[in-house]
Amino acid sequence: MTVVVETGIWRLDPAASAVSLRHKTFWGLVTVKGAFAAVTGQGEVRPDGSAAGTVTLDVASLDTGNAKRDEHLRSADLLGADDHPEITFAVRSAERLDGDDVRVTGQLTVRGVSRPLTLTARLTSATAEALALETEFTVDRDQFGVTWNQLGMMRGLTTVTAALRFTRAAA
């Protein structure tokens, strides 16, 4: 069953949304997991069914459960939170595919470096007042200048998982 999404302005519900990441480290022996506590965003669904918007992550809110590691992740060695406090995904288009899959195309900006990104999300629910999307994709951190890699411990791609709930903005 295909759900219908109402046109209009939608705001991210941060209390009902989650963005997390995982990356293998220590030569692939350990998976580091973390989540962003502060996620904001909004979007617009147009009358033709297409959509655009922005999702923003507060870099300082990244929590892996290890304060020393979190401090290092926020440092200039890695995410550079002092100079680049946000990670943004500016959605240029979002179009329905078969069923409830949505092709989302935009620009991901990390450490001030923007790269095109296309991913597939799944519309998991939609009512006149709320909609929810889920996605998982990988990012090559080297493409964004996140190159610190002492003794070759950190290789490969970072996996990002997002469950986002949007509510309709008042007209």
Side-chain angles (χ1 to χ4, degrees), residues 100-104 119-123 133-135:
D100 294 324
D101 287 343
V102 180
R103 180 179 38 243
V104 181
L119 57 91
T120 300
R122 181 154 187 84
L123 185 63
L133 293 161
E134 293 180 356
T135 188

Side-chain angles (χ1 to χ4, degrees), residues 94-159:
E95 299 180 35
R96 293 289 284 270
L97 302 173
D98 292 335
D100 294 324
D101 287 343
V102 180
R103 180 179 38 243
V104 181
T105 302
Q107 289 286 118
L108 179 63
T109 302
V110 180
R111 287 184 60 106
V113 177
S114 294
R115 298 275 187 250
L117 176 66
T118 299
L119 57 91
T120 300
R122 181 154 187 84
L123 185 63
T124 58
S125 68
T127 67
E129 300 304 318
L131 65 89
L133 293 161
E134 293 180 356
T135 188
E136 183 172 286
F137 58 94
T138 58
V139 175
D140 182 347
R141 65 190 192 91
D142 290 345
Q143 291 184 343
F144 295 94
V146 184
T147 58
W148 184 88
N149 190 12
Q150 187 174 16
L151 303 172
M153 289 191 306
M154 294 176 65
R155 295 187 184 134
L157 303 174
T158 299
T159 301

Side-chain angles (χ1 to χ4, degrees), residues 57-60 74 78-87 109-113:
L57 309 174
D58 179 348
V59 174
R74 295 180 197 119
L78 293 159
L79 295 174
D82 287 344
D83 294 326
H84 309 285
E86 297 176 337
I87 295 171
T109 302
V110 180
R111 287 184 60 106
V113 177

Side-chain angles (χ1 to χ4, degrees), residues 19 23 66 78 122 132:
V19 177
H23 190 96
N66 179 309
L78 293 159
R122 181 154 187 84

Side-chain angles (χ1 to χ4, degrees), residues 8-80:
I9 303 297
W10 295 83
R11 300 209 190 290
L12 185 86
D13 178 354
S17 298
V19 177
S20 61
L21 57 81
R22 64 183 187 276
H23 190 96
K24 289 196 179 276
T25 186
F26 291 102
W27 306 282
L29 299 174
V30 175
T31 300
V32 172
K33 297 175 184 176
F36 292 90
V39 182
T40 59
Q42 70 173 25
E44 178 183 12
V45 176
R46 301 178 190 116
D48 68 0
S50 65
T54 304
V55 174
T56 302
L57 309 174
D58 179 348
V59 174
S61 77
L62 179 60
D63 182 6
T64 66
N66 179 309
K68 187 174 181 178
R69 177 175 48 222
D70 294 345
E71 185 177 320
H72 188 223
L73 284 169
R74 295 180 197 119
S75 77
D77 282 348
L78 293 159
L79 295 174

